Amino acid sequence: MDRRSWGRIVLAATLAPWLARVAPAAAQAPAAALLVLEPGRHDGQVTLDFALRVALPAPVEDALRRGIALHFRAEAALYRPRWYWRDERIGRVRRRWRLTYQPLSNSFRVSIGALHQTYASLPEAMSAITRISRWPVADAAAVDPDEDHYLEFSWRLDTGELPRPMQIGIGNLPEWQLEVERRIELPR
C-alpha cells in the first residue's frame, strides 16, 4: 500500500463514528413542523392562530434537564405590498417564552414576562409554547379591504439567549436550529 491509500483508510476510520451519529439525525423528520397557520379578524383586530408540532432533539432536551433555560420566540408582521418602495408594515407582534426544568418537583416552568405556569410533563409545557389562538397582529381598521396584504410568521428557539459558552459550540449544529418561517396572504 502506498501513502495515499493508507491516508484514506485512516481518514475513513476517523470519520466513521462521526458519520454514524450525524447521518441518522439528518435523515429524521424536521424537529419543528407547522400544523396550523390561520389569519382571521376578531373584535376589530387582525388575528393569527398557529400550532406547531415540535420534538426537542436529544441534545436540546438534555441541556434543558441539566438546568439550561431555553428561550423561544414567535414573531408575526402584517404588510401591504407597494410597487414603488418597500412594503408597508401595518403591524408587528412578538412573544417570548422561557422554558426551565425544576428538578426538585420534576416539573417544567413556562414563563412569559412575569407570568409563570408549571407543567407536569415536557409535552404539556411545549404545547403552551407552540400554540396561540387569536393573537392580535394589527388593528383591522388599518387594513384596506381593497388591497392585498400578507403575513410573515416565524417561530424559533432563540440560541442567542443561551449562556455564552454554549453559544460558541452550537452555532451550526442542526439539532439546535429549531425554526419555522412562513408567508401567507391575508384573505380579504
Side-chain angles (χ1 to χ4, degrees):
M1 268 209 274
D2 63 343
R3 283 186 130 171
R4 192 173 280 174
S5 298
W6 183 251
R8 289 181 184 150
I9 291 172
V10 170
L11 180 63
T14 305
L15 291 178
W18 179 78
L19 287 172
R21 281 185 298 150
V22 173
Q28 293 176 354
L34 190 61
L35 300 174
V36 174
L37 184 63
E38 294 179 358
R41 295 171 198 251
H42 301 284
D43 301 326
Q45 298 282 323
V46 175
T47 61
L48 185 66
D49 298 348
F50 75 86
L52 300 144
R53 183 184 65 239
V54 176
L56 292 181
V60 177
E61 186 175 342
D62 184 49
L64 175 65
R65 292 189 183 270
R66 291 178 185 260
I68 304 297
L70 300 178
H71 297 262
F72 298 90
R73 175 187 302 206
E75 297 179 9
L78 179 64
Y79 291 95
R80 182 176 63 89
R82 297 189 288 196
W83 65 270
Y84 58 89
W85 195 247
R86 295 174 128 182
D87 294 350
E88 178 184 11
R89 186 172 59 213
I90 308 296
R92 179 174 65 181
V93 290
R94 294 180 181 153
R95 182 165 292 178
R96 299 173 72 123
W97 297 270
R98 182 174 189 259
L99 175 63
T100 56
Y101 175 65
Q102 309 293 318
L104 293 176
S105 61
N106 193 25
S107 61
F108 297 87
R109 186 176 191 181
V110 176
S111 303
I112 302 173
L115 301 174
H116 312 287
Q117 179 71 41
T118 302
Y119 297 92
S121 68
L122 182 58
E124 290 174 2
M126 288 304 296
S127 179
I129 295 171
T130 59
R131 299 177 190 279
I132 293 181
S133 294
R134 294 190 178 178
W135 188 24
V137 177
D139 188 21
V143 176
D144 186 357
D146 297 329
E147 301 209 20
D148 293 330
H149 294 80
Y150 65 92
L151 273 161
E152 287 185 349
F153 170 78
S154 70
W155 181 95
R156 66 184 176 99
L157 170 64
D158 193 356
T159 56
E161 295 289 331
L162 291 171
R164 192 63 79 189
M166 285 188 71
Q167 291 179 20
I168 295 168
I170 63 169
N172 294 326
L173 295 177
E175 54 270 348
W176 286 90
Q177 305 302 318
L178 291 174
E179 61 184 16
V180 173
E181 293 182 354
R182 291 290 187 280
R183 176 182 165 161
I184 59 171
E185 299 297 320
L186 182 68
R188 291 187 182 190

